[in-house]
């Protein structure tokens, strides 16, 4: 769970140990590349392109991928540009400015919870013209996790029940909302909803979830790279 938006060539050294301004430049470069990748994904799924053009573009993308040299991080390794837990997640598939998969959702605290704002594109389509139900669940799960962290109780999802009241329109600004409704020991109970920015009073998807704050030993076992 997390946000933050944020040009350097692919041959730049690994940013481990970078601080301050260097990290800001790295995040800005990652966000710029993420934006262009999302534009490419949108064009790929939207444009009816002749076969020969598809082959030519495929070769071009393959050459570009070859330019992304340098050490590749392994599973569970936290990117140097991230602040985990509770901060920047540049490659989050929901909020990450550097992710070609993300909308990306912008998150801000609200008086009683947390608000997320994003617009789903054609790449997120389920039924023609509407978002895939799994995207709605992912948006809610992310934001509900955020609200736990904002409330000072970062937790992991153990249960998420989603109810779809209306289809979620694509290419329409959305308002996602989440708030903590109660706690019981290490359990955190959270409600969430999705509506459009144009008419936030009409809720199209709702959810209720249970999150659990892992104890210190479990946290160290799950996230050995967190200090």
């Amino acid at each position: 769970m997390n946000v933050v938006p944020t040009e350097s060539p692919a041959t730049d050294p690994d940013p481990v140990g970078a601080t301050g301004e260097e990290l800001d430049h790295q995040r800005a470069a990652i966000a710029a590349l993420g934006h262009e990748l999302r534009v490419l994904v949108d064009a790929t799924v939207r444009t009816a392109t002749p076969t020969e053009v598809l082959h030519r573009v495929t070769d071009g993308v393959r050459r570009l991928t070859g330019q992304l040299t340098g050490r590749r991080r392994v599973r569970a390794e936290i990117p140097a540009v991230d602040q985990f837990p509770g901060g920047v997640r540049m490659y989050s598939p929901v909020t990450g400015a550097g992710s070609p998969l993300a909308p990306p959702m912008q998150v801000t605290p609200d008086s009683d919870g947390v608000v997320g704002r994003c617009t789903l594109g054609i790449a997120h389509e389920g039924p023609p013209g509407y978002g895939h139900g799994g995207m709605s669940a992912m948006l809610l799960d992310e934001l509900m996790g955020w609200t736990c962290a904002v409330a000072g109780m970062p937790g992991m999802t153990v249960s998420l029940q989603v109810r779809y009241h209306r289809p979620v329109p694509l290419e329409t600004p959305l308002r996602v909302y989440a708030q903590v409704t109660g706690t019981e020991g290490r359990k955190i109970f959270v409600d969430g909803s999705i509506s459009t920015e144009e008419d936030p009073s009409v809720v199209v998807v709702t959810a209720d979830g249970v999150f659990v704050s892992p104890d210190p030993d479990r946290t160290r076992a799950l996230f050995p790279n967190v200090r």
Side-chain angles (χ1 to χ4, degrees):
M1 46 174 150
N2 287 8
V3 238
V4 172
T6 51
E7 194 169 60
S8 57
T11 52
D12 274 1
D14 190 281
V16 171
T19 58
E21 190 174 348
E22 292 174 319
L23 280 176
D24 289 340
H25 286 314
Q26 187 75 16
R27 288 171 182 147
I30 291 168
L33 177 58
H35 171 75
E36 296 304 328
L37 289 173
R38 289 189 291 274
V39 173
L40 175 61
V41 168
D42 183 77
T44 300
V45 300
R46 183 188 292 271
T47 310
T49 304
T51 302
E52 61 272 17
V53 175
L54 292 173
H55 286 305
R56 187 164 64 248
V57 171
T58 299
D59 290 339
V61 171
R62 187 179 298 115
R63 287 192 295 272
L64 286 174
T65 302
Q67 295 181 43
L68 294 172
T69 58
R71 187 183 68 82
R72 298 190 176 219
R73 63 185 174 96
V74 298
R75 185 179 73 86
E77 179 182 348
I78 300 168
V81 292
D82 279 8
Q83 297 170 338
F84 180 85
V88 180
R89 299 298 303 281
M90 290 301 300
Y91 302 108
S92 161
V94 178
T95 61
S99 171
L101 308 175
M105 183 166 65
Q106 301 295 307
V107 179
T108 55
D110 186 68
S111 56
D112 298 315
V114 176
V115 175
R117 291 180 168 86
C118 65
T119 300
L120 297 181
I122 300 298
H124 306 121
E125 189 172 56
Y130 298 99
H132 192 290
M135 284 301 304
S136 296
M138 187 161 68
L139 294 177
L140 286 162
D141 183 44
E142 176 80 3
L143 198 69
M144 291 163 78
W146 263 89
T147 200
C148 291
V150 169
M153 302 173 288
M156 302 181 69
T157 318
V158 295
S159 173
L160 184 67
Q161 295 192 9
V162 182
R163 289 167 292 283
Y164 300 90
H165 306 281
R166 302 186 183 191
V168 177
L170 297 177
E171 300 183 321
T172 301
L174 301 175
R175 182 183 189 275
V176 190
Y177 180 74
Q179 65 175 346
V180 172
T181 59
T183 60
E184 181 183 303
R186 292 188 293 110
K187 290 184 179 180
I188 310 136
F189 302 94
V190 187
D191 283 351
S193 64
I194 300 175
S195 58
T196 65
E197 282 278 29
E198 182 180 20
D199 192 357
S201 65
V202 178
V203 174
V204 295
V205 184
T206 57
D208 58 81
V210 180
F211 291 70
V212 168
S213 293
D215 61 41
D217 289 340
R218 183 60 172 157
T219 298
R220 283 190 290 270
L222 289 170
F223 308 111
N225 295 320
V226 175
R227 291 172 175 78

